[in-house]
Amino acid sequence: MRALIGYVRSGEPDLTNRQMALLMIVYLTPGPHTVRGLARVLGVSKPVVTRALNTLGSLGYLRRERDEDDRRNVFVVRTPNGADFLDGFKKLLRSGDDGGQQPAIDSQPAQAATPRPAFARG
């Protein structure tokens, strides 16, 4: 819980689960990575992967690179910005490992105001 709160407070861009999964696949599994291969691993269509890669590319976390041997192929490759982002995320996860202690937030649920029926208002 503390790690997620730290991530929200960090000011880093909010990534969707799909974007985070793509990023982690590219960084944690051996390449080369293609849109087709990433789509197959995630069980989604190529346009879905392309949209996520567009966002990750605009953030500088991943980059598309043409295969010099076969210009028809496009590989998805790592970037220093993406490595820095994941390194920071890993540090947040490790610092958030509080050994089962309560998070440093008010853990009491907020009391919602119970609406009163119209006939009880006065």
Side-chain angles (χ1 to χ4, degrees):
M1 177 82 128
R2 187 173 296 171
L4 289 175
I5 292 169
Y7 177 65
V8 169
R9 291 178 178 170
S10 73
E12 293 289 339
D14 289 336
L15 298 182
T16 66
N17 289 333
R18 185 173 290 144
Q19 291 164 349
M20 186 62 96
L22 280 170
L23 193 61
M24 293 181 86
I25 289 167
V26 171
Y27 278 84
L28 300 177
T29 62
H33 299 285
T34 63
V35 171
R36 179 178 296 180
L38 293 168
R40 184 176 31 78
V41 168
L42 290 175
V44 298
S45 67
K46 290 189 300 183
V48 166
V49 171
T50 297
R51 283 191 300 274
L53 288 175
N54 288 345
T55 300
L56 294 168
S58 70
L59 294 169
Y61 294 168
L62 293 174
R63 188 178 78 246
R64 290 178 180 96
E65 192 173 271
R66 286 241 176 243
D67 180 359
E68 292 302 320
D69 296 329
D70 184 347
R71 304 285 296 163
R72 296 172 296 176
N73 291 332
V74 177
F75 297 127
V76 178
V77 298
R78 303 168 181 149
T79 66
N81 285 348
D84 290 345
F85 169 80
L86 283 179
D87 188 51
F89 190 73
K90 177 174 68 176
K91 287 176 183 172
L92 277 173
L93 289 175
R94 287 188 175 155
S95 71
D97 184 14
D98 57 11
Q101 298 174 11
Q102 290 293 323
I105 60 170
D106 182 11
S107 60
Q108 295 296 322
Q111 293 291 331
T114 306
R116 294 174 38 199
F119 61 83
R121 293 183 195 143

